[in-house]
Amino acid sequence: KLSTLRLVPLSTSETSSATSPRRTVRSTAFVDCPMLKFAGLRIMTFGVLYDFTGNSNVSKVTKATTMVQQQWFLDAVNYTEPIDLFLLIGHNPVRTTDYANTLGLVHNTIRSLKPNTPIQVFGGHSHIRDFQVYDESSTALESGMFSPA
């Protein structure tokens, strides 16, 4: 029998208007599933988009430079319970030299607050298969159709 995956949002906010009702749920959550629970892992995950500006008026994109300074993000990184791994996932190139990469900033912010906690990054934007070692406890993998040049 398969059990379900449960995501527990740390914070949510709701907004609505007559022209554009919307609900915003922060992408920060603890992942609680049987496999991870069995292994005893506590994972804090963030969804990070590159600095996208082509969104419609029914959505809002918060730039990573703003997000890493917001209180909800700092509270999540400094969560009161132990965190075994930070997981960054997003439509974002993983190579820090790529002009569109914002995962490096989020990684560096987490690393400055949690110097010993591993960070795993899964990205995708540039359509290349890529892998980068950020530091001794962090790696990034990008899915793609092409090999890096």
Side-chain angles (χ1 to χ4, degrees):
K1 179 180 175 185
L2 293 176
S3 297
T4 58
L5 175 69
R6 184 181 63 153
L7 297 178
V8 183
L10 292 179
S11 64
T12 61
S13 62
E14 293 189 32
T15 59
S16 63
S17 69
T19 57
S20 64
R22 69 177 176 210
R23 180 169 186 246
T24 302
V25 177
R26 303 273 188 223
S27 59
T28 308
F30 266 105
V31 177
D32 182 15
C33 75
M35 190 180 308
L36 296 177
K37 194 173 190 180
F38 176 76
L41 296 176
R42 293 164 302 232
I43 300 173
M44 177 68 72
T45 184
F46 298 98
V48 183
L49 184 65
Y50 68 100
D51 288 341
F52 182 69
T53 58
N55 56 302
S56 71
N57 64 353
V58 296
S59 64
K60 179 181 177 185
V61 176
T62 302
K63 291 186 176 191
T65 53
T66 302
M67 181 188 80
V68 298
Q69 297 175 22
Q70 292 179 329
Q71 194 59 50
W72 72 266
F73 177 82
L74 298 171
D75 289 344
V77 172
N78 291 308
Y79 196 66
T80 56
E81 295 181 30
I83 298 170
D84 297 315
L85 173 80
F86 285 97
L87 177 62
L88 305 179
I89 304 172
H91 187 104
N92 209 309
V94 299
R95 189 150 304 267
T96 55
T97 55
D98 189 304
Y99 75 94
N101 173 283
T102 59
L103 292 166
L105 170 68
V106 179
H107 168 272
N108 292 341
T109 303
I110 294 170
R111 180 56 69 230
S112 70
L113 298 168
K114 297 290 184 176
N116 300 315
T117 305
I119 302 169
Q120 178 60 55
V121 179
F122 293 110
H125 175 71
S126 60
H127 303 273
I128 62 168
R129 289 183 304 274
D130 207 357
F131 177 81
Q132 185 169 8
V133 176
Y134 286 178
D135 62 30
E136 64 279 350
S137 298
S138 305
T139 60
L141 179 67
E142 182 173 354
S143 60
M145 163 174 189
F146 307 106
S147 296

